[in-house]
Amino acid sequence: MTIDNGVRIIAGSMVLLSVALTYWIHPAFIWLTVFIGLNLIQSALTGFCPATWLLRRLGCH
C-alpha cells in the first residue's frame, strides 16, 4: 500500500468513526470531525501530515 492510499484510508476511517460517535455517543464528538478537517487543510498547505509519519514508521512506501 502506498502512503497516499494509507492516508486516505486513515482520514476516511476517522471521519466515519467521528460521525458515528457524534450520532450514537455524544454530540460533542463533532469536534473530532472538525479537527480531522482542519488537519487535512493544514496538511495540504504545509505538506506535513502526522499520518504520513506514522505510516512511514510502520513500513509503508
Side-chain angles (χ1 to χ4, degrees):
M1 170 176 21
T2 65
I3 290 180
D4 288 339
N5 289 341
V7 168
R8 289 186 195 119
I9 289 170
I10 290 172
S13 299
M14 291 299 296
V15 168
L16 291 174
L17 175 65
S18 67
V19 170
L21 289 171
T22 299
Y23 184 77
W24 282 302
I25 304 298
H26 194 276
F29 277 107
I30 194 70
W31 292 108
L32 179 58
T33 310
V34 171
F35 173 75
I36 295 165
L38 290 173
N39 191 42
L40 287 169
I41 293 169
Q42 175 273 139
S43 173
L45 295 175
T46 66
F48 173 73
C49 178
T52 301
W53 175 82
L54 177 68
L55 289 170
R56 282 193 182 124
R57 300 273 286 182
L58 293 174
C60 290
H61 301 287

